[in-house]
Amino acid sequence: MADTRLAVIDGAGDVRRMTLATTFDATIERVWQAMTTIEQMKIWWPDWQPGGILEPREGGRIVLGDGSWIDGAIKVWAPPNVLEFTWKEAPENGDWFEPRTKSLLRVELVALAKSQTALTLIQFAPEVAVVGGTAGWHYFAGERLKCLLEGGTLDDRPERFDELVALYAGSESSA
Amino acid sequence: MSSKLTSVKGRGAVRRLQTEISVRAPIDRVWSAITDAQQVKHWWAEGQIGAQVGDPIVMENGAALNGTIVVMLAPYIFEFTWHDAPAESSEPQWLEHRTKSLVRFDLVELGDAETLATLTQYSPVIVAVGAAAGWDHLFQRLAEYLHTGQVKEEVGRFERLKQRYAEQES
């Protein structure tokens, strides 16, 4: 079956916005827990094992793995609806949106029914990184997290990410 | 001008409102129109807007806004809480959490002189209809301000918009 895009990439120029939208057959509380506790995050977003810190409050620190990739701060902690955090608090090159610096990720949840929840993920990224970033979120949140929440076998094939990069390649170009 | 209604999503006590508008103005121009109180007063209300995260934002309009800036990443993301303290005891519990009455503007550059502005708000259900109509009204005023430098008062528009949402909800 052909893959369907879950995310759209908006904008022209150096900075683009990725918006991924999907739904899960799970309660909003269950989705919030899966997206905000280190032990659950490791299952569907495993690149950064082992270790991790998530201080569940505004201003709290979030460190995934050894912190080389993500060592940022929680900007919004509003369970079970909104989580926002930066990748890195101290810019390494002065550009907040550079993926390894302060790129801000926003997680939005809305309860659609008792056991159905809508997820929206929003991230701004430089043009050169947005296709890879979008494919990554499709893979981790759109597929692996969905499997975790709804039951099913998580896809661990390394080529899956490349398939998704191909799915989004070209979608960032301005019309 | 877009007449698309603000989307209202969710069940239970909380709704997520979202609306967007594409304006003929550079992104930096739109950023200043939404973050500089001297410009915001033309399309929204008189008030004070701080310069950085943690600063207050205050608007002296009907649904008095008295919150705190939580994200300010120029020229892309501007986000603030509506209330820092409980407003009235009759309001739903969640609104009393300062982090939960959230308003976010984000801006995407579509071209040298074209910008997409998106508004997202989490709102208690009892005020969602008024808030949705309010954002439609304000975004039309924002676009008019950016395009012409001024805003003509259009009496009754907000009430008509509110009526449309009330009919849609029922």
Side-chain angles (χ1 to χ4, degrees):
Chain A
M1 200 177 77
D3 287 318
T4 304
R5 286 175 184 164
L6 297 176
V8 294
I9 298 169
D10 285 309
D14 296 341
V15 180
R16 307 296 171 94
R17 181 182 65 180
M18 181 231 40
T19 308
L20 179 139
T22 191
T23 59
F24 302 121
D25 291 333
T27 63
I28 192 169
E29 290 78 15
R30 174 70 186 99
V31 181
W32 179 261
Q33 180 218 21
M35 298 192 79
T36 60
T37 53
I38 291 288
E39 288 313 309
Q40 291 276 303
M41 290 162 83
K42 281 182 180 179
I43 299 170
W44 59 271
W45 189 15
D47 278 7
W48 39 269
Q49 292 192 69
I53 300 166
L54 194 156
E55 296 172 349
R57 58 181 170 80
E58 202 177 310
R61 191 174 171 208
I62 180 165
V63 180
L64 302 187
D66 64 5
S68 58
W69 185 30
I70 293 178
D71 184 353
I74 294 174
K75 300 298 174 184
V76 177
W77 177 262
N81 295 111
V82 184
L83 168 68
E84 257 181 303
F85 61 90
T86 52
W87 246 221
K88 292 275 180 179
E89 262 309 278
E92 287 166 6
N93 70 357
D95 292 332
W96 69 268
F97 50 80
E98 202 278 329
R100 297 185 59 81
T101 59
K102 293 188 77 174
S103 189
L104 186 80
L105 180 73
R106 177 169 166 109
V107 176
E108 294 181 355
L109 300 179
V110 177
L112 298 179
K114 199 165 185 178
S115 286
Q116 192 184 42
T117 303
L119 164 71
T120 310
L121 278 180
I122 305 166
Q123 190 162 31
F124 283 65
E127 183 194 2
V128 291
V130 75
V131 167
T134 304
W137 285 123
H138 183 122
Y139 179 58
F140 291 120
E143 298 189 348
R144 294 180 60 93
L145 174 60
K146 192 175 177 74
C147 272
L148 173 67
L149 292 167
E150 298 183 354
T153 309
L154 272 62
D155 189 342
D156 285 319
R157 292 176 302 128
E159 64 268 30
R160 183 59 186 146
F161 178 73
D162 298 329
E163 291 171 11
L164 291 167
V165 169
L167 177 66
Y168 288 98
S171 71
E172 84 287 11
S173 305
S174 330
Chain B
M1 201 93 69
S2 164
S3 64
K4 196 170 97 183
L5 290 174
T6 299
S7 80
V8 181
K9 259 189 166 177
R11 69 187 287 277
V14 178
R15 294 288 183 273
R16 174 177 172 267
L17 313 178
Q18 191 162 64
T19 193
E20 63 177 35
I21 196 163
S22 165
V23 290
R24 296 185 306 277
I27 191 168
D28 294 325
R29 173 85 189 85
V30 184
W31 178 260
S32 59
I34 62 173
T35 56
D36 172 6
Q38 290 309 308
Q39 298 190 44
V40 170
K41 70 180 180 188
H42 293 289
W43 61 273
W44 187 353
E46 294 273 354
Q48 290 101 45
I49 301 175
Q52 57 190 3
V53 171
D55 284 351
I57 174 167
V58 178
M59 291 287 164
E60 296 150 8
N61 60 345
L65 186 165
N66 186 0
T68 300
I69 297 169
V70 293
V71 178
M72 198 166 214
L73 290 169
Y76 302 106
I77 303 168
F78 179 45
E79 187 169 348
F80 51 87
T81 60
W82 198 276
H83 288 298
D84 273 358
E88 295 165 25
S89 58
S90 62
E91 296 200 48
Q93 186 69 29
W94 75 268
L95 192 55
E96 297 179 8
H97 281 274
R98 60 183 295 258
T99 51
K100 287 198 169 182
S101 54
L102 278 176
V103 176
R104 167 167 157 143
F105 290 94
D106 73 45
L107 304 181
V108 175
E109 198 170 17
L110 298 180
D112 288 343
E114 193 179 3
T115 303
L116 180 68
T118 305
L119 176 283
T120 308
Q121 181 179 12
Y122 275 80
S123 160
V125 64
I126 55 164
V127 295
V129 163
W135 287 120
D136 276 350
H137 180 61
L138 289 174
F139 261 37
Q140 288 178 38
R141 289 173 61 93
L142 171 63
E144 196 179 332
Y145 173 67
L146 287 164
H147 292 160
T148 69
Q150 53 189 352
V151 180
K152 289 195 296 286
E153 294 307 322
E154 200 179 313
V155 177
R157 179 166 68 188
F158 174 68
E159 283 68 26
R160 288 196 300 278
L161 285 164
K162 202 170 167 181
Q163 184 63 30
R164 283 175 74 184
Y165 283 98
E167 285 162 7
Q168 193 185 44
E169 280 275 300
S170 58

